[in-house]
Amino acid sequence: MPEEILNDISHRRYNPLRGSWLLVSPHRTKRPWQGQQESPSKITLPEYDPSCYLCPGNKRAQGDVNPKYENTFVFVNDYSAVKESQAEYTQGGDPSDLSNLLLRAAPVTGKCYVLTFSSSHNLTLADLTPAQILPVINLWTQIYASHLSPSNPLSSIPLNLPAPTQTIEKPSAQYTWMQIFENKGAAMGCSNPHPHGQIWTTTGLPEEPAAELQQLIKYRREHEGGNLLEDYVKVEIEKKERIVFENAGFLVVCPWWAVWPFEVMVVSKKHKRALVDLSVEERSDFAEAVAEVTRRYDNLFETSFPYSSGIHQAPLEGTEEEINASHFHMHFYPPLLRSATVRKFLVGYELMAEPQRDITPEQAAKRLREDCGGELYRKHLK
């Protein structure tokens, strides 16, 4: 464990992946809670819902009909946040004018997808085996590869994927970033319980991955080509304080700098820049790691555990330094704190000053590691 005194005193921890700090207040876990409580997840869903726009064979909002798919299915989002075609915009005027200096805007184009994880309406990733999650990872890989810039060195890597079940059309323009993510549960704003995630591709590099990439490049320059996350994996394996699960290819850890109570990061042990860098065996290892995280989450409070998750990897287009400094990893940000009904809020001090957490990452990792393994809890329910 870290110095025992850190379990009892307020302290700050540094996040080298973002170059930022957070406040840790472990003594606050003893305070009574009289605030908002979330309702436990007790809804029993049907395997097929005729009103669900993601179920096989059903009609979607714009009139398109889903095929009778069996595992995964991807389509362009009917309500995309960004579009490939829109009116042109260029900010004009005198660059020295205060309005142009302070009131800046830039157009963003891109393409957004919805990807179902299963044809069954009543399942989540926690219900799926690694073998059932693998087709999702294969499709993520296929989509990422199809959007890579021809100048990106990753575009020449042989994929060694199973025969695709869908053809992914090339985008009409070259985009910079692809964000693969999932919002699970109504507490995270998910509007449809059918197991699915989203993929947004955009021009420009968004704030979060840009902050991480800047730190990865800085570390690489300062440590003679070293890799920040590869070195961090070595530290965590040596310390064995925050590990939740590991296999040959991946480490699941509650990061030293975690903000959310049971936040975890799935990170490749070796320097892998993106999905296309993963071997067949490593994609299977990644599927196992995702299965372990989601199942342990549900087992923690015996509820369908809400979270937002997302993959950070090399940009679709960038400099050689940006591509090679990237390190494949996946974040899971869950809001639940004390039980299935008590969640953490990022408010007050966290909005105005810096992030803060109560339960330490070491305590969170211990619970997920020691108390939440084994079969999914609801398989034992009658």
Side-chain angles (χ1 to χ4, degrees):
M1 292 290 292
E3 293 184 48
E4 289 297 324
I5 193 172
L6 293 184
N7 288 325
D8 297 312
I9 67 167
S10 300
H11 61 281
R12 297 174 83 206
R13 295 193 181 192
Y14 181 63
N15 179 352
L17 192 56
R18 295 195 80 259
S20 59
W21 291 82
L22 72 146
L23 175 65
V24 184
S25 311
H27 57 282
R28 278 168 52 92
T29 57
K30 300 173 184 177
R31 67 181 176 138
W33 178 260
Q34 295 178 322
Q36 177 179 326
Q37 296 191 5
E38 301 294 324
S39 300
S41 177
K42 294 182 178 179
I43 300 174
T44 302
L45 299 171
E47 184 176 0
Y48 167 77
D49 183 348
S51 65
C52 170
Y53 61 85
L54 296 179
C55 278
N58 287 359
K59 183 181 290 188
R60 299 204 305 275
Q62 302 295 332
D64 294 323
V65 177
N66 298 330
K68 296 280 189 177
Y69 67 91
E70 294 182 359
N71 294 313
T72 58
F73 171 56
V74 64
F75 60 92
V76 177
N77 197 322
D78 295 319
Y79 298 99
S80 295
V82 291
K83 296 182 178 181
E84 291 197 275
S85 178
Q86 62 182 15
E88 295 289 333
Y89 171 77
T90 302
Q91 186 161 349
D94 184 355
S96 64
D97 182 82
L98 283 179
S99 293
N100 285 324
L101 178 65
L102 301 177
L103 309 180
R104 298 169 62 186
V108 179
T109 57
K111 196 169 185 178
C112 298
Y113 300 90
V114 175
L115 188 153
T116 63
F117 301 151
S118 170
S119 59
S120 297
H121 185 76
N122 60 346
L123 299 180
T124 68
L125 286 177
D127 296 284
L128 303 182
T129 65
Q132 292 170 318
I133 294 174
L134 187 56
V136 177
I137 294 171
N138 288 338
L139 188 51
W140 283 342
T141 305
Q142 180 191 354
I143 296 170
Y144 176 82
S146 70
H147 286 68
L148 283 171
S149 167
S151 64
N152 191 322
L154 295 172
S155 64
S156 61
I157 296 176
L159 294 183
N160 197 13
L161 289 169
T165 57
Q166 282 186 257
T167 300
I168 307 300
E169 292 185 6
K170 291 279 187 181
S172 60
Q174 181 58 60
Y175 302 117
T176 302
W177 182 253
M178 174 174 288
Q179 186 57 62
I180 298 170
F181 67 97
E182 179 195 5
N183 295 322
K184 182 195 174 191
M188 304 308 292
C190 182
S191 60
N192 188 325
H194 193 109
H196 72 285
Q198 298 186 56
I199 301 174
W200 294 10
T201 59
T202 56
T203 51
L205 196 60
E207 292 289 314
E208 287 298 312
E212 290 189 358
L213 187 55
Q214 182 179 15
Q215 288 298 108
L216 291 168
I217 291 173
K218 181 173 179 283
Y219 189 92
R220 182 181 172 91
R221 289 174 178 174
E222 294 175 352
H223 295 84
E224 299 179 351
N227 183 275
L228 189 159
L229 284 178
E230 191 173 17
D231 287 349
Y232 177 64
V233 164
K234 294 175 184 176
V235 171
E236 289 291 7
I237 290 175
E238 177 186 340
K239 297 289 186 182
K240 302 187 185 304
E241 296 165 349
R242 288 164 293 274
I243 295 174
V244 175
F245 171 82
E246 66 175 305
N247 56 29
F250 285 85
L251 187 75
V252 176
V253 62
C254 292
W256 166 261
W257 55 81
V259 172
W260 295 93
F262 292 94
E263 174 182 333
V264 304
M265 180 171 63
V266 180
V267 56
S268 59
K269 288 183 173 181
K270 297 179 181 179
H271 181 207
K272 302 292 178 177
R273 298 163 294 181
L275 282 162
V276 294
D277 262 343
L278 301 182
S279 66
V280 173
E281 294 77 18
E282 287 166 337
R283 287 198 296 270
S284 293
D285 286 344
F286 182 40
E288 183 184 31
V290 171
E292 285 288 338
V293 171
T294 53
R295 190 180 72 255
R296 287 170 189 265
Y297 272 171
D298 279 20
N299 284 347
L300 179 62
F301 297 135
E302 295 193 344
T303 190
S304 186
F305 206 85
Y307 60 76
S308 281
S309 67
I311 292 174
H312 284 171
Q313 57 187 327
L316 301 171
E317 185 175 51
T319 66
E320 184 176 349
E321 183 179 44
E322 289 172 335
I323 303 304
N324 290 329
S326 299
H327 189 110
F328 181 83
H329 61 285
M330 186 174 189
H331 295 289
F332 282 82
Y333 299 146
L336 296 186
L337 173 59
R338 297 166 180 249
S339 69
T341 61
V342 178
R343 63 175 295 178
K344 174 183 174 62
F345 293 91
L346 287 177
V347 295
Y349 185 89
E350 290 131 313
L351 289 179
M352 304 300 169
E354 69 184 9
Q356 181 272 341
R357 65 177 291 131
D358 297 343
I359 180 177
T360 67
E362 294 76 31
Q363 293 166 338
K366 187 174 187 293
R367 293 190 63 181
L368 289 171
R369 179 178 63 248
E370 298 181 2
D371 302 339
C372 303
E375 196 170 41
L376 187 63
Y377 79 93
R378 54 180 164 266
K379 291 190 177 181
H380 303 288
L381 300 179
K382 296 181 179 180

